[in-house]
Amino acid sequence: MTVFSNNKDDVDRTEKSRRSSYFDSPALDVSVAFPQATPASVFPPCASDYYHFDDLLTPEEQAIRMKVRKCMEKEVAPIMTEYWEKAKFPFEVVPQLGALRISGGTIKGYGCPGLSITGSAIATAEVARVDASCSTFILVHSSLAMLTIALCGSETQKQKYLPSMAELKSIGCWALTEPDNGSDASALKTTATKVDGGWILEGQKRWIGNATFADILVILARNTVTNQINGFIVKKDAPGLSATKIENKIGLRMVQNGDIVMKKVFVPEEDRLPGMNSFQDTSKVLAVSRVMVAWQPIGISMGIYDMCHRYLKERKQFGAPLAAFQINQQKLVHMLSNVQAMFLVGWRLCKLYESGKMTSGQASLGKSWITLRARETAAIGRELLGGNGILADFLVAKAFCDLEPIYTYEGTYDINTLVTGREITGVASIKPPALSKRSRL
């Protein structure tokens, strides 16, 4: 009879003695283990602009696209899989991302680039094409934190914070979502109480990107007197403030989403955002950021297509490249069709915004429909890569997972469709009718 020990050291010794001599050997480099196809660390050339949409862009927008593409392929592609696997953020590439001069997007002045919204969207897509986590890092910093200061801040606040943020020398985050309020964001419970010289913030935020290392935290809280939503700029390490990383995510693993806890955090009056006095003011920011978020899955789908396009030509089975099989060609064309349609919807959203005609329903439809098509594109790409479709080394598995949080944040698919539904029918259906007492009959 075998007697099993409860002593951990004995168990460890027994297990170690049963292992092979090569059990703890490091994994083979993927290029050695699978030499027939090139991993995403050497990023594939762009092959997805089948309808020459580049012709729709201005020379300045084309230049932005190529500058961002070159940087992402050179600086981020070689390291992204390692950081994604470890769920750590690649701080080493922040200077290069800052040098791109895309942070601040459409903001004019204060050291910001003053891009067209199309140019900013194209930059977002090109970052996401290589790595979705980096695009989310920039989006949170630029299209939420910086844009809120630009739209709702005082002139002094803009001059104080925006120049360093535009260079990524100071990093921002934007805190709206709470543990009890996700889709029902306007019902937030974090409070702001007026005191001599400033405000006291109390509450908790969740899922806040960049939270653990942000220098500048834009916090949305409910004014205890007016009951309206106000905005505040909180500095990192403020007394009573803590931000801890949310572990065990399966998507956007490089993004450091955090839980923020505020216990009697004092904010000077000078750091209250004077232009944010209701949730409608928040909606001005979200209108722009929702367009930018719609371009993330466009870029991700471009990268998935590019990877599959190269892979099918390199990988051989039954004596022929995978690209020679009819069913694979059909799937590749399906993916390409999705990318063309997604790009065109995203481009039209930008033009509607630039002309002042874009509605919230149109932005919501764009975001919801594009993310839906991107999920389909990722699923097809995963099929095409077979076993390598579950390895982050070949991009598609990583992108497959990264799309899941994007499908949810900035309004879930369902919520965004209901925003559009409300606009086209004139009937709101997001909130259920008030519960009434059941009749005794």
Side-chain angles (χ1 to χ4, degrees):
M1 182 179 69
T2 303
V3 178
F4 293 97
S5 171
N6 290 326
N7 185 287
K8 184 178 183 300
D9 291 335
D10 290 342
V11 173
D12 288 345
R13 280 193 293 271
T14 301
E15 286 299 315
K16 191 170 184 179
S17 68
R18 293 174 177 171
R19 295 172 184 170
S20 63
S21 60
Y22 41 80
F23 183 86
D24 291 318
S25 298
L28 288 177
D29 184 273
V30 67
S31 60
V32 175
F34 192 81
Q36 206 177 70
T38 309
S41 56
V42 180
F43 213 79
C46 184
S48 64
D49 190 10
Y50 190 64
Y51 279 168
H52 303 287
F53 289 132
D54 203 53
D55 295 344
L56 298 174
L57 307 180
T58 66
E60 293 78 12
E61 291 161 354
Q62 292 172 353
I64 291 166
R65 165 176 254 183
M66 297 312 299
K67 180 172 67 172
V68 176
R69 181 179 296 173
K70 181 179 179 180
C71 174
M72 292 299 297
E73 292 180 354
K74 178 182 177 182
E75 305 292 345
V76 178
I79 64 172
M80 61 182 177
T81 302
E82 176 186 357
Y83 278 96
W84 192 88
E85 185 68 28
K86 294 179 179 178
K88 295 185 181 296
F89 185 77
F91 291 102
E92 64 192 78
V93 301
V94 171
Q96 291 90 323
L97 295 177
L100 289 174
R101 306 296 292 155
I102 59 175
S103 293
T106 59
I107 302 170
K108 292 180 171 59
Y110 313 102
C112 297
L115 303 175
S116 67
I117 194 167
T118 305
S120 187
I122 288 294
T124 298
E126 287 296 331
V127 175
R129 172 177 169 264
V130 174
D131 183 71
S133 291
C134 283
S135 74
T136 297
F137 159 71
I138 294 175
L139 187 144
V140 169
H141 169 80
S142 178
S143 297
L144 291 174
M146 289 184 71
L147 190 62
T148 298
I149 295 173
L151 293 179
C152 303
S154 67
E155 184 63 27
T156 299
Q157 290 168 339
K158 295 174 190 178
Q159 293 179 2
K160 181 178 180 180
Y161 296 111
L162 292 179
S164 64
M165 295 178 79
E167 298 181 39
L168 288 180
K169 292 181 178 178
S170 298
I171 305 301
C173 75
W174 194 81
L176 170 63
T177 303
E178 298 181 351
D180 291 344
N181 296 285
S183 295
D184 192 11
S186 62
L188 64 84
K189 296 178 180 177
T190 296
T191 59
T193 304
K194 188 72 178 76
V195 295
D196 288 342
W199 301 78
I200 296 293
L201 302 188
E202 288 267 4
Q204 187 172 342
K205 300 291 183 179
R206 185 162 172 80
W207 293 114
I208 309 307
N210 306 347
T212 59
F213 59 87
D215 303 290
I216 299 161
L217 298 85
V218 177
I219 305 289
L220 278 64
R222 188 174 301 282
N223 187 315
T224 55
V225 174
T226 66
N227 205 37
Q228 295 293 330
I229 306 303
N230 291 171
F232 302 87
I233 298 172
V234 179
K235 317 294 199 318
K236 70 176 181 182
D237 294 324
L241 173 72
S242 66
T244 52
K245 179 183 174 182
I246 297 174
E247 300 282 3
N248 305 320
K249 296 188 303 173
I250 68 160
L252 296 178
R253 288 175 55 78
M254 287 157 56
V255 177
Q256 305 299 291
N257 292 94
D259 286 303
I260 297 176
V261 177
M262 292 163 285
K263 297 180 179 179
K264 296 183 179 179
V265 175
F266 176 76
V267 181
E269 179 63 38
E270 65 189 40
D271 285 332
R272 188 181 89 80
L273 294 163
M276 183 170 287
N277 298 299
S278 71
F279 195 75
Q280 288 183 335
D281 296 317
T282 305
S283 298
K284 293 187 296 185
V285 178
L286 293 174
V288 179
S289 66
R290 193 156 287 166
V291 174
M292 294 299 106
V293 169
W295 278 86
Q296 284 188 287
I298 294 173
I300 294 169
S301 298
M302 289 165 56
I304 292 171
Y305 176 83
D306 293 340
M307 190 70 209
C308 291
H309 180 262
R310 181 175 71 182
Y311 187 93
L312 293 185
K313 293 193 290 185
E314 292 180 337
R315 173 66 164 157
K316 295 180 180 179
Q317 288 290 280
F318 305 105
L322 294 183
F325 295 86
Q326 290 180 348
I327 190 65
N328 292 338
Q329 288 193 12
Q330 186 274 329
K331 290 179 179 179
L332 197 64
V333 171
H334 189 156
M335 296 166 66
L336 181 63
S337 301
N338 280 352
V339 174
Q340 307 313 293
M342 292 157 64
F343 189 102
L344 197 57
V345 171
W347 178 81
R348 184 58 184 156
L349 266 183
C350 290
K351 295 308 168 187
L352 287 170
Y353 184 88
E354 288 174 350
S355 65
K357 296 178 181 178
M358 189 191 78
T359 66
S360 60
Q362 290 168 339
S364 290
L365 177 60
K367 193 268 180 179
S368 60
W369 184 85
I370 288 171
T371 51
L372 186 67
R373 293 280 74 79
R375 286 174 105 204
E376 180 185 59
T377 302
I380 297 171
R382 206 226 64 75
E383 293 174 6
L384 285 174
L385 266 62
N388 287 323
I390 65 167
L391 288 180
D393 300 277
F394 290 92
L395 183 72
V396 176
K398 173 174 164 292
F400 187 102
C401 293
D402 287 342
L403 277 167
E404 289 307 291
I406 295 174
Y407 185 70
T408 297
Y409 69 43
E410 288 280 348
T412 66
Y413 175 84
D414 295 329
I415 289 293
N416 273 309
T417 57
L418 294 179
V419 170
T420 306
R422 179 179 61 195
E423 187 169 282
I424 63 176
T425 65
V427 180
S429 63
I430 293 176
K431 293 183 179 181
L435 298 177
S436 59
K437 292 182 180 181
R438 183 180 295 178
S439 168
R440 289 179 295 175
L441 298 177

